[in-house]
Each structure stands twice: as C-alpha cells, then as structure tokens.
Amino acid sequence: MFFSIAAQGQSFLHPGVTFDLSFPAGSNVLEVTYDNNRLEISGLNEFISYNRSSIQRGSSHLAIIAYIKPEQKDNIYAVNRASVLGSVVRSYIKTRHGLNNLSFTFVIKDTEASSNIVKVDYRPFPVRAYENQDIFYTLKPAYKELVFAMANYREIPFESVMNQKELQRLSQDRSDYEVIDASRVEELLKRVNELEKRSVGTVQGEIAAKRSPEKKVDNSAKESKPAESEEELTERIVAKLVKALSQAESSKTPTVIAENQTPVSTNENSAGAASSGHPAANVIITHQPARLAKEGETERSQQQVNKRESQVNQREESGERQQHIQQNREQRAKREKGLYLPVAAIKTNLLGFAGVIPPSTITDPIFNLSAELFFAKRFSLMAEVFKAPIADNTDINSQDWYKVSGAILEGRLYFGKAGLFKGLFAGVYGLYGDFDIRDISVDEKGKTGSYTGAGLSVGYALPLYRGFTLEAGIRAGYRSDKYDTYVVNNGGFYISESLTNSEFGLTNYNIGISYRFGSYKRPGIR
C-alpha cells in the first residue's frame, strides 16, 4: 500500500521512477528469484497498473535502458546482448500489461555499471520524434548473423547519440524563437517610424500657425495681441502629441493628419507689422480639419447604418433558420405519427382453420392461436398451440377421423426498420404434438402416436391498419413420428404394429392475421 501511494506521487511530480532488473551472467532469462528481482518486478507491475492508461494514450512512455562497458562500445556481440536483454524485459511488460512497442523507447548506455542489468525508466511525456523504439538482435552467435542484426539499426541507439539529437533539437527551437522575436521587433519599429512621420507634419503646422499673427477682425485695431512664448507653445504641442499618440496606439488606427494646407498671404497687418519692427507674415488658414471632421461624422453614420442592417439581416436569417427547423420538425412529426411500435401480439393461421396442411392436403379445421413477444428492436419469441377437433366426441362406429394437437415455439429476426417489426423475417422453431388419424379410404388401419421436429422459417409481415397485420410464411425442417397402427373390430381397438418415420420437408403453411399491442411513436422521440 505504501509503495502504490509513493509510486503515484512520483509519477505525477517527477520522472525519476526507475526499476532495475538483473540477469545472471551469460543468461538471457529473467528470473524472479534472482538477486533483487522479486521486489523490483512487483513494484514495476504495481506502478504500471496505476499508470497504464497514461502510457496507452501516449502521454507517457517507458524507456528500456541496457548497459555495456565503455570499452565494449565497438563490440557488436556486447551490443547484441544488451539488445537481447532489453527485448526480454520489453516482452515481459507487453505480455503482462497489454502494451505495444509504441509505448517503449530503447537506449544503450555505456557506463561502468554491470552489463547484466536492464533499467525500466518511466518518463511522463510522449515519445520524441528522434528517440529509438526498435530493438534488433539475434540469438545466433555467428559473426554474419550479428552483423546482419546490428545493420537493421539506422544507428546504434547509444545514449550519447540520443543526447546529441536532443541538443540539436533545442538549438533549432532556440533559433526559431530568435527569428520570431526579430520579426516582432522589426514590426514594432516600423509602426513607431510610421507614427513619427505622421506626427511631424501636425507639429510643424501648429508651430507655424501659432508663430504667425492671428487674422484681425477689426481693421482699425493696430495693436497685436501678445504672442505666446515659445517654451509654452512647445510644451502644449508636445502634450497634445503624446495624447494623440496614446489614442492612436490604443485604438490601433492611424492619426488623421491635415494635408494640403493652403498658405494664404495677406497684407492687412503690414502696417502694424512694420511699426512693430516685424516683417509681414503669411497666415495659414486650415479648412481641411473641418472637412475631415464632417467626413468622419459621415463615415460613423454609415458604419452605424451598416451595423443596423447587419443586425437586421442576422435576425432575418435567424428567423428563417428557426422557421426551417420548425418545418423539419413538423414534417418529421407527420412521418413519425404513423410509426406503430408493437410490444406483443396475438395471431391465428387462417390456413389452419381451412384445414390446409403440407404438402397439399385438406383435412378438418385445425383451431390455432399464437402469442408473440417483441424485444431488442428486431427479435421476437412466438408460442403457438393448435388442436383438432376442439371437443373429442368421435363416434366409434364412424369410418374415419382426424385428431391432432401440438405446440410450436419459434424465435424470429426481423430485417426491416428497427423497432417496427415489419417486412421480411426469418426464424428457427421446434414442435411437439400427438395425433390419431384414421382414413378408411386410404388404409383400414389407423395411426396414433407423437411427433417432434425442428427447422427454419421465413415469412413477411405487412401492417394493415393500426395494430392489425397480415402475415405469410412457411416452415421446413426435420420431423420424426413414433406411432402404432391399429384396427377397429367390434367396437374395440387392436394394435397391429409399432413404427417410426423420419423425414425432411415442409411442415407448415401460414397465411394469418394478427393484432399487435403497442403505441404510436411520439414526435421527437428517437
């Protein structure tokens, strides 16, 4: 119990769950009683039982690690033995826990550890693409066989080779991340440059406008308004620029810059400018922002109209979709309204009442009644009883009579739509009964005895109205009769001989009517 709790905790928190299995020197048989194998194998089995679902899903796997001495790394015999021992351990785990080769990796480690040890290492992550999952070996020590077996490896799965592939993968991942980071930095710099270019025109235009004297409304006024200091003007423009950049960054839309500003020269303030010692300047009148604002309002209005139209279209589509779904439901309900699901039935064979029996004989009416129970959407079990005549009041002095009674048990399989029990069906049946038959026109001797039989049946069931169904079918198979022949003399019956008769052939015709108890399928019920 303690080991199972510790094993679960280790598999969840840390990959370092290993089990060391030892082999006797020169042997490739995994012995439970050897060294510490009993405890290790017990722990291994219990651990895999708790983690088998994870291993089978591929979210974790088991690494089989075999050992060889470093000086034997080029010795193919030592590599083959390590492969054999790894294969033995893998085969044991596969057989015991129902795993396959995709749940394992195999690696050979060259260390000073004993070469008669195989380690099973649990790794809580999927098998990587570069890891080895093959184990090739030969049990024949011939040099040619060893070479052929080791040649099946694309490269011997030494741990050093696997580590080198891991380093290559990490370096490749790092270079991919560096390329992604470089592209992101380049994109950000490009956006900053665009914002700077768009903001320069706005700053220069506002500085020029503020440095020029404002247009006078009253031409008689000769004194100009005191100009704003350059430092205050610069601070205010920078504040506005920062605000515009922050808004553009948050909305991710470019700042609208007034272009094509037309400089209009005026000499209305020439005198004032001359008296104040400043030359006449050009006044920049910007009409573009008003037009852009108007266009912005128009664009917003158009967007609102488009949004309302989109909402209306979505509501119309949703309404049409709901209407289509409702129509489908109504149509399905109409179709399903006529689906009658039977549970049980009572039936009778009309040919039996007419006295028709195989192969082509007409006798006295045979009264019959059947009951059928439906189950599992396609199967049914039917029991039938029959008797002729109903009341035995035969006159001993009569020349002939026909007495028969029996029972039939039949199982059926319906091939039509599941649950409706209509259309073609097939079945197997068994029968038992007795008879007493005398026909003076055929034989002076009468026959009395019993019969048994079994065979196959086939037929068709056609629903008529509600629970009423028309059935037609035949039965054919084996029948065995055991009977005595007798003669009638002076009102007495005298047995003549005992006989048996066995044959294959038709045993019953059926054209009948049945009534099935059940209910209509409610709409929407599947």
Side-chain angles (χ1 to χ4, degrees):
M1 182 64 183
F2 172 77
F3 179 82
S4 63
I5 296 175
Q8 293 181 72
Q10 288 183 358
S11 65
F12 179 77
L13 297 175
H14 193 270
V17 179
T18 59
F19 302 90
D20 295 334
L21 307 181
S22 301
F23 289 82
S27 172
N28 56 9
V29 178
L30 182 61
E31 300 178 5
V32 178
T33 57
Y34 181 73
D35 199 15
N36 200 33
N37 283 350
R38 184 180 300 278
L39 180 61
E40 293 291 328
I41 292 176
S42 176
L44 173 65
N45 291 332
E46 187 173 3
F47 180 82
I48 295 179
S49 298
Y50 281 102
N51 296 274
R52 181 169 53 191
S53 60
S54 173
I55 297 173
Q56 290 177 334
R57 288 196 309 268
S59 57
S60 61
H61 69 281
L62 298 173
I64 306 297
I65 304 174
Y67 292 88
I68 62 174
K69 300 290 184 179
E71 60 272 13
Q72 295 179 337
K73 191 172 182 180
D74 296 329
N75 187 337
I76 60 174
Y77 181 83
V79 174
N80 181 73
R81 173 168 170 75
S83 300
V84 170
L85 300 186
S87 177
V88 170
V89 173
R90 186 177 68 173
S91 299
Y92 169 77
I93 298 175
K94 286 167 52 180
T95 305
R96 179 65 181 268
H97 300 281
L99 303 177
N100 55 41
N101 289 347
L102 298 179
S103 302
F104 298 87
T105 59
F106 175 66
V107 66
I108 300 176
K109 194 171 183 179
D110 51 329
T111 64
E112 295 296 336
S114 174
S115 59
N116 296 320
I117 293 178
V118 174
K119 180 181 294 185
V120 181
D121 188 6
Y122 175 76
R123 298 182 177 178
F125 50 83
V127 177
R128 299 185 175 95
Y130 62 84
E131 291 186 295
N132 172 65
Q133 293 186 280
D134 298 322
I135 302 179
F136 298 107
Y137 63 92
T138 179
L139 297 178
K140 299 179 180 179
Y143 180 77
K144 182 184 295 186
E145 298 293 338
L146 291 173
V147 172
F148 286 161
M150 295 302 101
N152 290 323
Y153 286 115
R154 288 180 295 180
E155 53 184 341
I156 305 299
F158 291 118
E159 185 183 42
S160 57
V161 176
M162 299 297 107
N163 291 340
Q164 184 177 1
K165 291 185 176 181
E166 175 70 9
L167 292 176
Q168 292 176 355
R169 185 183 67 86
L170 293 176
S171 62
Q172 180 64 30
D173 292 344
R174 183 163 57 251
S175 62
D176 293 341
Y177 294 147
E178 290 175 355
V179 171
I180 295 173
D181 292 340
S183 61
R184 291 183 60 189
V185 170
E186 183 179 356
E187 182 182 357
L188 291 175
L189 290 176
K190 186 177 179 180
R191 291 184 59 191
V192 170
N193 291 333
E194 289 179 356
L195 291 174
E196 288 178 352
K197 290 178 181 180
R198 292 177 179 178
S199 62
V200 167
T202 303
V203 174
Q204 292 178 351
E206 292 193 10
I207 292 175
K210 292 299 181 179
R211 286 181 176 178
S212 301
E214 297 181 356
K215 188 175 180 180
K216 299 294 183 178
V217 179
D218 187 4
N219 292 332
S220 60
K222 302 298 181 181
E223 296 181 358
S224 61
K225 186 178 179 180
E228 188 176 6
S229 65
E230 186 173 351
E231 294 181 357
E232 294 176 353
L233 177 62
T234 303
E235 291 180 358
R236 185 169 60 83
I237 291 174
V238 170
K240 291 177 65 176
L241 176 61
V242 172
K243 182 178 181 181
L245 289 175
S246 62
Q247 291 178 353
E249 184 65 17
S250 62
S251 61
K252 295 185 180 179
T253 57
T255 308
V256 178
I257 308 298
E259 298 178 353
N260 300 326
Q261 295 176 343
T262 306
V264 180
S265 299
T266 179
N267 295 324
E268 294 179 357
N269 298 328
S270 298
S275 62
S276 60
H278 296 284
N282 292 332
V283 177
I284 306 244
I285 303 175
T286 57
H287 300 283
Q288 193 71 3
R291 182 175 63 83
L292 290 176
K294 185 176 180 180
E295 291 179 356
E297 291 293 336
T298 305
E299 184 178 357
R300 285 194 296 272
S301 300
Q302 185 64 32
Q303 291 178 353
Q304 293 177 356
V305 171
N306 294 337
K307 184 177 180 180
R308 286 195 295 270
E309 290 179 353
S310 177
Q311 292 176 351
V312 171
N313 293 334
Q314 289 179 358
R315 285 196 294 269
E316 291 178 353
E317 292 177 358
S318 178
E320 292 177 357
R321 187 161 52 252
Q322 292 294 334
Q323 184 179 2
H324 182 67
I325 293 174
Q326 184 63 26
Q327 291 176 354
N328 290 340
R329 288 178 179 174
E330 292 176 357
Q331 293 176 359
R332 187 167 63 249
K334 290 180 181 179
R335 291 195 302 267
E336 293 177 346
K337 185 177 180 180
L339 301 181
Y340 190 78
L341 304 181
V343 177
I346 57 173
K347 59 183 71 177
T348 187
N349 184 2
L350 299 180
L351 292 181
F353 279 101
V356 179
I357 60 175
S360 58
T361 306
I362 298 178
T363 65
D364 296 336
I366 302 175
F367 298 92
N368 60 89
L369 185 65
S370 304
E372 186 174 10
L373 180 65
F374 304 98
F375 61 93
K377 295 187 178 181
R378 291 190 181 276
F379 297 91
S380 70
L381 184 63
M382 188 186 71
E384 178 183 350
V385 294
F386 55 90
K387 189 176 188 304
I390 292 294
D392 187 3
N393 51 6
T394 304
D395 185 2
I396 191 66
N397 296 318
S398 63
Q399 296 296 321
D400 51 63
W401 52 79
Y402 184 85
K403 304 176 185 179
V404 64
S405 63
I408 300 175
L409 187 64
E410 179 179 349
R412 290 182 177 180
L413 169 63
Y414 286 83
F415 298 100
K417 188 175 181 181
L420 301 184
F421 300 96
K422 66 178 183 179
L424 184 67
F425 65 83
V428 294
Y429 73 91
L431 61 87
Y432 175 80
D434 54 25
F435 60 90
D436 185 1
I437 302 173
R438 186 188 185 206
D439 187 354
I440 197 66
S441 62
V442 177
D443 190 356
E444 291 185 355
K445 295 181 180 181
K447 298 178 181 180
T448 181
S450 62
Y451 60 89
T452 57
L456 303 176
S457 65
V458 64
Y460 193 90
L462 177 65
L464 299 177
Y465 175 73
R466 292 186 180 272
F468 290 97
T469 304
L470 180 66
E471 285 190 9
I474 58 173
R475 295 190 183 105
Y478 173 80
R479 171 170 167 166
S480 177
D481 297 346
K482 293 181 180 182
Y483 61 93
D484 298 326
T485 60
Y486 62 88
V487 294
V488 180
N489 187 10
N490 296 326
F493 298 90
Y494 298 93
I495 296 177
S496 176
E497 56 184 340
S498 298
L499 301 173
T500 60
N501 181 44
S502 300
E503 60 181 359
F504 288 91
L506 296 175
T507 58
N508 182 258
Y509 300 136
N510 175 31
I511 295 180
I513 192 77
S514 69
Y515 181 80
R516 298 181 170 188
F517 300 93
S519 61
Y520 284 102
K521 185 174 184 179
R522 293 182 295 170
I525 302 299
R526 290 291 176 185

